Amino acid sequence: MSLSSSQVISVEDVIASQRDVILEHWMERIHRALQPDAPPRAELLDHIPRFLDSLILAMRLAHSPAQESAACWAAQAALKHGELRLREGFSLDTVVYEYGVLRDCLLTLAREQGLKFLPDQMRAFTECFHRGIAEAAIVYLQQHERELRAAGAAAERQHAHALLAAILDKTTDLVGALDTDFRFILFNRRYQQEFETRFGTRISLGMSLPDALAHLPEQKHRLVALWGRALRGEEFTVVQPFGDPAQEDTWYELRYARLEDAQGEIQGAFHVGRDVTAARKAHEELDLHVQERTAALAQANARLRESEERFRATFNQAAVGIAHVGLDERWLQLNQCYLELLGSTEPELRKLTVRDVTHLEDREKSQSLMRQLLAGELAHYTVEQRYQRRNGEPVWVELTVSLVRDASGAPSYFIFAAVDISENVRLYQEAQRAVHLRDEFLQVASHELKTPLTPLSLKLQMLSRVAQAELSSITARRLQRDVEVMHRQVNRLAELMDDLLDVSRITAGQLHLNPESVDLCVLTREVSARFTPQATRAGCRLQVELGCEALGQWDPLRLEQVVSNLLSNAIKYGAGRPIHIRAETAGNRARLTVRDEGIGIAPEALGRIFHKFERAVSERNYGGLGLGLFITRQIVEASGGSIQVESQLGRGATFIVELPLARPVDTVSHAAG
Ligand code: ADP
């Protein structure tokens, strides 16, 4: 550095006079420090002169009365300079260096000029640089910090934005946002693709929605209206296809809302769309299913109601008494018929148990049956018993009781069904009385009627003998024939009387047998022989087949009665045709078979002809009391045997009697062929 050698009196004067030289020198060094190869930059000098001026002023002030503010002034100047430099983009190093250059330059200049800094000047001078450097550093740091913060926030924003974009792109939802001018400010990849597929426009950021849909006026109108609502602050959800609602089958749940920043400034609006096609389909299916089920349920309900009504009607209007009874035997519910039966009202009966209304004599039986039902020993039971009506009268009922069990099989309640059989019982008792009276009458009548038969029979025998003595006379011969006829009639009458007497005995349980050793074959032969004339008269040929011997312990008179009854029936109902009689042994039984070829018996009558007074023919055609087979069966069964009949109408009848033999027969059969 070269300074002019003119005499100066103070440092500031020197600096002031050497201003340009200083600046040039400074400039050169700074430039070199900053950009060694680049041409010098004029703007670098811009405010150096001002700084220099401030410095000179500060130094002048330093030895004036205002010296206190000199340092301050210098510092201000330095600070200002530093600030400007930093704002220009100088680094703090460069600013510090710049101060150093200036300081060196000034000190060198002063030394070369042989000048000395006054102490105050030196202080101001040094302060100027020190404070300048320090303040500049603070400014720098503050500025730098701001920059860092700004840069950090920007980077953060960028990072967050990138993250958000990545998330949005990954989501299958549609995400789109418009600014207040309906321009896209955000959308994810799915949104872009879907928009392109549905509307044929590839959207980009900044593109306006109306422009993107310019070719689809209807859709444009629809979507602008929706976005408009969101921009006005309405938050809402629509479920519809993303594209044309009329044509598409992909449904979205689109939520629209306004977009505001942290300060509440309206930035636009956005919508988020979730694909709800599957859910909607499932929902529709569910809906359909629910509809079907509801309809089915309604139908079932209607049916149930109907059946309940039917049940109630059946329950209430049934001609039989129906009641539900609890396990504690209390009446739970009774229909009208049951109430009438018991002559009581439902509220009254609810206070009572089954036991309370059951007739004293029937209580034990009724209780026992209910216990058996509860124990599962009976599935249900029917019993004839009496109830005690409220007015004390007994009433006969036929009662059927069953037990209702719950799903687990535990007893739940009883169902009682009662039919009033008082009338039946009365009629039955009356009938029984009538039968009893009839039997009594028959017994007396048969006795009384039989009494004159014996002398009548004797008189006829006498008459017959007289007639036989006079057989030469025509009158006597005629008399003889008439007497024979009368005799047969009297016998027949006696037989009928005997039958009646037998029935009375049987009914009274007084059929007594006097068993002795009897051969069925012999007995059959004798009886058959006795019947031959009668059979002949009826045009029947008796074909008798007899085994060797069929011995048993039977009452011979009664057995005769059995064979006689069967033979006389065969002759009566098989007149004009042969009759086959067979007596034999079969296993350990003696067997008598009487077969005719007569009118036969209808299948429905087969079961009843063995009962008292039962007949299968009209009285007009065939006489009889319907007692023969009854007595026959009673005798056979009392003898330990059985009787069966096989017959078809018009094809004859076969009666088979089997009786136990006296001792087991070891040979297979003695039956004659
Ligand atoms: P009945 O006095 O009427 O013959 P029975 O008790 O001997 O009384 O017979 C009862 C009924 O059985 C008869 O009325 C008749 O209808 C039928 N019956 C009995 N034996 C014969 C038979 N051999 N052939 C056809 N019907 C017979």
Side-chain angles (χ1 to χ4, degrees):
M1 174 189 299
S2 66
L3 295 170
S4 72
S5 54
S6 56
Q7 191 61 33
V8 285
I9 51 157
S10 66
V11 177
E12 59 270 27
D13 289 341
V14 173
I15 294 169
S17 63
Q18 297 291 319
R19 227 167 137 253
D20 292 343
V21 180
I22 292 167
L23 285 174
E24 196 183 332
H25 177 71
W26 186 6
M27 169 73 186
E28 194 182 321
R29 287 203 43 196
I30 295 297
H31 177 69
R32 232 184 298 135
L34 289 175
Q35 290 162 306
D37 303 327
R41 285 196 288 151
E43 75 267 18
L44 280 178
L45 281 175
D46 259 6
H47 45 86
I48 293 290
R50 270 203 302 281
F51 175 50
L52 216 51
D53 290 344
S54 299
L55 193 64
I56 293 163
L57 181 63
M59 298 195 44
R60 278 211 179 107
L61 287 171
H63 46 92
S64 74
Q67 59 175 277
E68 273 309 303
S69 54
C72 191
W73 186 261
Q76 285 278 320
L79 175 61
K80 194 112 188 146
H81 175 72
E83 250 185 324
L84 286 169
R85 278 294 190 231
L86 287 171
R87 210 170 288 156
E88 279 167 9
F90 278 53
S91 72
L92 186 64
D93 284 355
T94 315
V95 177
V96 172
Y97 177 71
E98 197 179 21
Y99 284 134
V101 168
L102 186 60
R103 191 165 162 269
D104 285 355
C105 180
L106 294 176
L107 288 175
T108 308
L109 182 69
R111 199 172 51 241
E112 280 175 1
Q113 298 290 319
L115 294 170
K116 273 207 169 67
F117 282 93
L118 293 170
D120 286 344
Q121 282 180 321
M122 195 55 185
R123 195 155 44 91
F125 183 77
T126 311
E127 189 127 323
C128 167
F129 287 106
H130 284 178
R131 292 248 327 251
I133 288 167
E135 296 286 345
I138 289 168
V139 168
Y140 172 79
L141 284 175
Q142 281 173 343
Q143 189 179 334
H144 194 62
E145 193 190 345
R146 265 201 307 277
E147 275 169 10
L148 275 178
R149 216 178 282 144
E156 233 170 66
R157 259 205 309 279
Q158 210 172 344
H159 180 66
H161 195 273
L163 217 58
L164 181 70
I167 293 169
L168 290 182
D169 282 346
K170 287 275 180 249
T171 175
T172 52
D173 289 350
L174 302 178
V175 182
L178 301 183
D179 64 11
T180 48
D181 295 330
F182 291 88
R183 288 178 191 289
F184 284 104
I185 50 171
L186 178 99
F187 51 77
N188 65 349
R189 196 174 300 150
R190 178 88 198 270
Y191 192 94
Q192 190 180 40
Q193 288 165 355
E194 201 67 0
F195 200 96
E196 192 170 3
T197 313
R198 306 293 168 193
F199 303 116
T201 308
R202 185 157 185 85
I203 51 166
S204 56
L205 291 176
M207 182 186 274
S208 92
L209 180 73
D211 288 351
L213 295 174
H215 59 298
L216 299 168
E218 256 180 53
Q219 300 308 323
K220 182 175 81 175
H221 183 72
R222 183 173 69 83
L223 289 185
V224 166
L226 285 170
W227 280 102
R229 280 168 61 193
L231 283 168
R232 283 193 295 277
E234 192 183 333
E235 275 189 30
F236 60 95
T237 303
V238 290
V239 177
Q240 54 182 215
F242 186 62
D244 185 347
Q247 283 169 18
E248 284 169 27
D249 52 3
T250 307
W251 287 73
Y252 283 93
E253 185 184 87
L254 285 155
R255 171 119 198 102
Y256 284 80
R258 193 154 68 182
L259 196 58
E260 288 164 11
D261 67 9
Q263 284 72 44
E265 289 281 320
I266 299 166
Q267 300 294 316
F270 71 98
H271 69 188
V272 178
R274 195 161 51 87
D275 186 343
V276 292
T277 315
R280 202 181 141 85
K281 219 169 252 167
H283 198 263
E284 276 172 2
E285 273 167 25
L286 192 72
D287 249 14
L288 202 70
H289 192 61
V290 166
Q291 270 172 26
E292 280 171 8
R293 299 289 300 164
T294 311
L297 204 66
Q299 262 180 11
N301 262 341
R303 274 201 300 274
L304 189 68
R305 244 194 328 275
E306 211 174 285
S307 109
E308 265 176 6
E309 268 159 28
R310 255 205 312 271
F311 167 75
R312 205 167 301 124
T314 312
F315 187 83
N316 287 332
Q317 291 161 27
V320 291
I322 303 174
H324 291 174
V325 174
L327 298 180
D328 57 358
E329 294 188 24
R330 291 206 167 272
W331 299 100
L332 300 174
Q333 202 179 354
L334 302 100
N335 71 351
Q336 192 53 34
C337 187
Y338 222 120
L339 294 173
E340 283 166 16
L341 206 83
L342 296 176
S344 195
T345 63
E346 193 154 348
E348 277 167 355
L349 281 166
R350 276 184 199 276
K351 289 182 226 144
L352 302 174
T353 65
V354 168
R355 195 186 145 79
D356 296 331
V357 296
T358 304
H359 193 278
L360 209 62
E361 288 172 27
D362 296 330
R363 263 183 208 170
E364 209 181 303
K365 189 172 166 196
S366 143
Q367 301 278 294
S368 153
L369 284 167
M370 282 174 83
R371 274 197 299 275
Q372 287 180 55
L373 205 60
L374 276 174
E377 291 162 17
L378 294 175
H380 53 81
Y381 65 82
T382 301
V383 66
E384 286 182 6
Q385 64 155 64
R386 280 157 295 177
Y387 279 133
Q388 195 79 45
R389 295 170 69 107
R390 194 161 154 252
N391 60 9
E393 267 176 31
V395 55
W396 275 98
V397 292
E398 185 188 78
L399 178 67
T400 300
V401 181
S402 52
L403 182 63
V404 177
R405 293 176 183 272
D406 66 14
S408 68
S412 199
Y413 60 92
F414 295 102
I415 297 179
F416 277 42
V419 182
D420 185 346
I421 53 163
S422 301
E423 186 59 14
N424 293 7
V425 169
R426 191 183 61 74
L427 292 175
Y428 178 71
Q429 285 169 344
E430 261 178 27
Q432 270 200 324
R433 259 197 308 278
V435 167
H436 187 67
L437 280 174
R438 180 201 65 190
D439 288 346
E440 252 179 8
F441 167 76
L442 286 176
Q443 205 172 354
V444 174
S446 48
H447 255 293
E448 293 303 315
L449 290 171
K450 211 180 164 193
T451 314
L453 277 185
T454 317
L456 188 61
S457 182
L458 287 172
K459 287 268 185 244
L460 282 173
Q461 277 173 18
M462 269 171 55
L463 209 58
S464 172
R465 272 199 295 278
V466 171
Q468 261 182 349
E470 297 288 332
L471 266 182
S472 52
S473 91
I474 296 170
T475 320
R477 279 206 298 279
R478 193 179 295 150
L479 184 66
Q480 171 67 13
R481 277 201 304 278
D482 288 347
V483 167
E484 266 176 33
V485 171
M486 280 193 281
H487 201 67
R488 274 205 303 277
Q489 295 298 339
V490 168
N491 278 349
R492 175 76 192 127
L493 207 56
E495 277 168 19
L496 287 172
M497 293 300 121
D498 284 342
D499 277 357
L500 281 172
L501 272 173
D502 280 345
V503 170
S504 307
R505 280 195 205 104
I506 291 167
T507 310
Q510 291 167 354
L511 179 69
H512 299 300
L513 299 178
N514 298 311
E516 57 186 72
S517 191
V518 180
D519 183 345
L520 179 66
C521 295
V522 174
L523 187 134
T524 306
R525 191 176 57 231
E526 285 171 7
V527 177
S528 302
R530 223 183 301 142
F531 267 86
T532 305
Q534 188 184 333
T536 310
R537 275 198 301 280
C540 297
R541 190 158 45 83
L542 296 184
Q543 293 184 344
V544 186
E545 291 178 60
L546 301 167
C548 300
E549 190 178 61
L551 276 178
Q553 288 294 315
W554 309 305
D555 184 327
L557 289 176
R558 289 299 182 188
L559 201 54
E560 257 187 61
Q561 203 177 344
V562 167
V563 182
S564 302
N565 281 348
L566 294 179
L567 272 180
S568 63
N569 276 353
I571 293 167
K572 183 159 53 164
Y573 300 112
R577 295 184 175 271
I579 292 166
H580 312 266
I581 305 150
R582 191 177 163 120
E584 60 193 336
T585 57
N588 56 357
R589 321 268 289 172
R591 183 190 287 158
L592 168 71
T593 312
V594 179
R595 178 163 72 85
D596 63 62
E597 298 176 12
I599 61 168
I601 305 161
E604 63 276 11
L606 287 174
R608 61 179 171 88
I609 53 173
F610 291 101
H611 292 120
K612 233 190 286 184
F613 302 114
E614 288 290 351
R615 312 196 66 225
V617 285
S618 79
E619 272 168 45
R620 242 179 327 135
N621 301 331
Y622 298 95
L625 294 177
L627 292 174
L629 286 181
F630 169 70
I631 295 166
T632 302
R633 190 172 78 163
Q634 297 299 320
I635 296 170
V636 169
E637 286 179 355
S639 310
S642 63
I643 181 164
Q644 283 175 352
V645 58
E646 291 166 5
S647 181
Q648 279 182 352
L649 259 186
R651 313 190 94 176
T654 306
F655 286 85
I656 305 155
V657 172
E658 286 195 342
L659 293 162
L661 287 169
R663 56 179 168 80
V665 173
D666 16 42
T667 45
V668 178
S669 173
H670 296 271

